[in-house]
Amino acid sequence: MKAGYVPSLRDVKGLPKFHSKKQGRFSYTTNQTNGNIRIESRDGVTFLRIPKFPEGIPVRLHRELPADGLIKKATIKREGDRYIVAISVDYPFEKLQLVEKVATSKITALDYSQSDLYMDSEGQKAEYPRFHRLIEKRQRRQNKSLARKKERAPKDKDGNPIDSKNYQKALKNYQKTMAKAVNQRKDFLHKKSDQITNDYDAIVVEDLDLSNLAQCLKLGKKLHDNGFGMFRNMLKYKAERKGKHYIVADRFFPSSKLCSACGTKKENLRLSERTYTCAHCQAVIDRDHNAALNLKNYGVHTLSDLGFLAEPASV
Ligand SMILES: [Zn+2]
């Protein structure tokens, strides 16, 4: 590995870390046992009742719970300066029937792209806004202001240190900014994956170990900003619900090395080559578009093998 990343003990998955009062996930989960978690309305205000707060916490419902749903558990967590409760509900859900005959035009493939989330087999980019970049300036300013403040003010008249109000205020602002970027990104990914799973009957993606990639290629920040892993999960469950096919190409399928026009394999393709030029058939095509087309072909063959293709494969 040329990138020079030396793994430390911390990288070993499953190694426990110390709990911190200040960092990490602030969350609390409580499970349902015979009706102790309830959503109630009193005088036009909605309350969440959990065992620790039997008197109820006023909440704003982001959407109605399904009428015949059973609350399984409630998780309360802090995101920036907000408290959010996620209620997990069991309810009869009808999955749509699997599409049995998929037309080739209803298949799309997404090739993971460092700069723009993905490129699809139509040659369309995701047009992914760099949410963290957009707030970078504000984030830096707020972080600086936070660093200048003391967490605790000197001392009160009895000699006890007191928490600094200004520090708390600055911390809140900073967390708010960070949470905004995270939520914007999630929102974008939800909308995109909804659109794709509506428009197409089959979605092909490559098998990527993203955690590995982030470490080895020193693309860490960009890659994590990107959220492709989260995006794939969304595509998967949304496709399943809508009866669409979600196909993951084999880990060893050389999607970027093949020529999408003639199928010749180019062994010495460098990462820096953004354009794929085929020595065999002289095809010249954008690297990511070429990879996406290969993935689509992979999907066509897979569906054809399984008997789900509407028309015979043309390749
Ligand atoms: Zn070729």
Side-chain angles (χ1 to χ4, degrees):
M1 241 173 279
K2 262 192 179 161
Y5 179 82
V6 184
S8 75
L9 209 59
R10 278 266 171 262
D11 297 307
V12 182
K13 288 201 178 103
L15 197 73
K17 293 186 180 107
F18 286 110
H19 278 294
S20 162
K21 198 176 159 189
K22 289 166 191 157
Q23 269 168 23
R25 302 173 67 86
F26 299 90
S27 84
Y28 161 75
T29 303
T30 177
N31 288 308
Q32 174 80 280
T33 43
N34 57 54
N36 56 9
I37 304 174
R38 267 174 297 168
I39 298 275
E40 280 170 9
S41 264
R42 263 179 278 147
D43 313 320
V45 186
T46 314
F47 288 89
L48 168 73
R49 298 178 67 157
I50 55 172
K52 279 205 186 203
F53 287 93
E55 67 277 18
I57 310 164
V59 289
R60 263 206 331 246
L61 273 193
H62 142 83
R63 61 182 159 129
E64 285 299 316
L65 300 185
D68 43 2
L70 261 173
I71 297 179
K72 298 305 271 187
K73 60 182 179 182
T75 301
I76 297 170
K77 57 186 167 184
R78 199 179 83 187
E79 267 181 19
D81 61 335
R82 289 195 292 182
Y83 286 88
I84 290 170
V85 54
I87 300 169
S88 125
V89 183
D90 243 13
Y91 63 102
F93 184 84
E94 249 182 87
K95 271 192 195 168
L96 290 176
Q97 277 264 294
L98 193 68
V99 179
E100 278 179 16
K101 289 292 167 202
V102 182
T104 5
S105 61
K106 289 292 233 176
I107 305 172
T108 191
L110 310 177
D111 176 60
Y112 169 71
S113 140
Q114 279 162 38
S115 54
D116 195 42
L117 191 67
Y118 66 80
M119 181 180 270
D120 70 14
S121 44
E122 261 46 60
Q124 298 290 319
K125 288 181 173 181
E127 278 162 43
Y128 178 70
R130 294 244 151 252
F131 296 111
H132 279 110
R133 290 284 147 80
L134 294 177
I135 56 143
E136 210 164 36
K137 230 175 160 182
R138 199 191 319 164
Q139 183 204 337
R140 213 176 315 135
R141 201 179 59 231
Q142 288 177 343
N143 193 18
K144 224 192 256 171
S145 137
L146 183 65
R148 276 198 223 102
K149 292 181 176 60
K150 290 212 173 86
E151 197 178 338
R152 299 198 136 171
K155 263 159 203 177
D156 66 6
K157 57 183 189 304
D158 300 320
N160 300 315
I162 36 174
D163 286 345
S164 151
K165 281 264 158 53
N166 281 332
Y167 178 88
Q168 290 304 326
K169 239 189 275 173
L171 182 68
K172 224 174 178 180
N173 281 336
Y174 178 71
Q175 287 172 338
K176 203 170 169 179
T177 307
M178 297 306 283
K180 188 179 169 71
V182 170
N183 286 331
Q184 276 180 324
R185 181 177 80 177
K186 222 191 230 170
D187 184 57
F188 177 87
L189 297 178
H190 267 301
K191 281 179 183 152
K192 270 282 173 203
S193 53
D194 263 334
Q195 192 198 335
I196 293 170
T197 47
N198 282 339
D199 291 352
Y200 293 96
D201 289 342
I203 299 106
V204 193
V205 294
E206 58 202 309
D207 189 0
L208 277 180
D209 187 350
L210 291 164
S211 63
N212 238 338
L213 213 63
Q215 289 179 356
C216 292
L217 297 173
K218 278 200 167 175
L219 302 168
K221 192 176 173 190
K222 260 186 175 172
L223 215 79
H224 291 310
D225 183 3
N226 219 306
F228 196 64
M230 196 197 279
F231 188 59
R232 283 161 46 114
N233 288 343
M234 288 178 183
L235 282 172
K236 185 169 187 249
Y237 82 76
K238 285 179 184 176
E240 274 167 11
R241 277 185 194 177
K242 296 175 187 172
K244 309 293 177 78
H245 300 262
Y246 176 80
I247 301 162
V248 180
D250 186 272
R251 180 155 298 210
F252 301 105
F253 179 67
S255 60
S256 45
K257 286 183 177 168
L258 293 176
C259 168
S260 57
C262 71
T264 311
K265 191 172 167 189
K266 195 174 185 174
E267 287 296 349
N268 52 352
L269 185 80
R270 285 189 304 265
L271 204 64
S272 57
E273 289 175 49
R274 298 317 303 162
T275 307
Y276 187 98
T277 317
C278 179
H280 187 252
C281 73
Q282 270 76 47
V284 178
I285 183 170
D286 176 89
R287 179 203 178 95
D288 294 335
H289 190 194
N290 180 57
L293 283 171
N294 284 326
L295 286 170
K296 181 171 173 173
N297 285 339
Y298 181 98
V300 170
H301 286 298
T302 309
L303 288 170
S304 164
D305 287 349
L306 297 168
F308 285 121
L309 200 68
E311 55 212 67
S314 55
V315 191

